[in-house]
Amino acid sequence: MTSSPLAVAALDLATAHEIPSVLNHSVRTHAYALLHAEKLGLEYDPDLLFAACVLHDLGSAPAYDGPQRFEVEGADAAASLLASHGRTPDDIDQVWQAIALHTSPGIVERRGAVPHLTRLGVRTDFFTIAIPDEARAAVEREYPRLGLDHELGDLLVEQALRQPEKARPSSWVADLVREAG
């Protein structure tokens, strides 16, 4: 984990607003993204990858429950943080895309290393990409799941029930709303 001022600020922002299960998921996402980066030999900016992973579900937090999809709300918040740390428009756009597109398979993988690795980290944490059991166990010992598999979905369904436009028909959140039906 990087300890730059941007990384510290990103973790502080996530810690202040995400529930513990979502925060742990976000940190696990980063750990898994690093595994994939090494395996694939991808070059990336460590601070950008950390910020994208740690903030990718910030839009699930009540403080960021605005009128847009949770992915976009979180991406906008992350972009503001990066701008306040003097990052370039290109850097900000990489993180924005990583967060805004992390639930958009087939698109995010084509937007660069940071968005691609963020998506791989998320998918790994939700068991759609296998990794060695020992690696998963080590990460989950340090950052346990704490009910994530229900809590994140519940937060997003609650948002969508209050603001139906947050669950566009072909989105992951719309699938969650239908399942909760």
Side-chain angles (χ1 to χ4, degrees):
M1 183 181 325
T2 179
S3 61
S4 72
L6 174 59
V8 170
L11 186 58
D12 286 350
L13 183 61
T15 301
H17 295 289
E18 293 178 352
I19 63 173
S21 64
V22 174
L23 178 64
N24 280 6
H25 160 64
S26 299
V27 176
R28 284 192 309 271
T29 293
H30 179 253
Y32 296 141
L34 292 176
L35 291 175
H36 290 291
E38 184 178 333
K39 179 180 170 186
L40 298 171
L42 294 178
E43 292 186 25
Y44 60 92
D45 179 310
D47 285 341
L48 298 183
L49 182 61
F50 184 79
C53 290
V54 169
L55 299 175
H56 81 272
D57 280 337
L58 189 62
S60 71
Y64 295 96
D65 182 10
Q68 302 176 87
R69 291 171 53 153
F70 88 97
E71 302 97 332
V72 175
E73 294 292 344
D76 287 349
S80 293
L81 179 70
L82 269 74
S84 75
H85 282 262
R87 295 308 295 243
T88 68
D90 286 345
D91 289 351
I92 293 166
D93 189 54
Q94 279 187 59
V95 172
W96 191 93
Q97 287 187 55
I99 295 170
L101 298 173
H102 81 271
T103 62
S104 299
I107 298 171
V108 69
E109 294 87 353
R110 298 178 71 175
R111 302 312 310 152
V114 169
H116 186 191
L117 291 168
T118 301
R119 170 87 173 143
L120 290 173
V122 170
R123 289 185 59 210
T124 301
D125 199 44
F126 282 112
F127 302 97
T128 62
I129 296 177
I131 59 170
D133 291 342
E134 318 79 62
R136 185 177 299 281
V139 172
E140 289 191 8
R141 257 191 314 278
E142 193 165 350
Y143 301 100
R145 296 191 77 75
L146 304 175
L148 170 77
D149 302 297
H150 300 288
E151 290 180 351
L152 178 58
D154 290 348
L155 289 170
L156 298 175
V157 167
E158 288 173 21
Q159 285 185 0
L161 292 176
R162 281 192 314 279
Q163 299 181 73
E165 64 277 5
K166 293 180 80 117
R168 306 280 181 200
S170 62
S171 69
W172 176 58
V173 176
D175 292 342
L176 292 173
V177 170
R178 280 190 291 277
E179 289 171 10

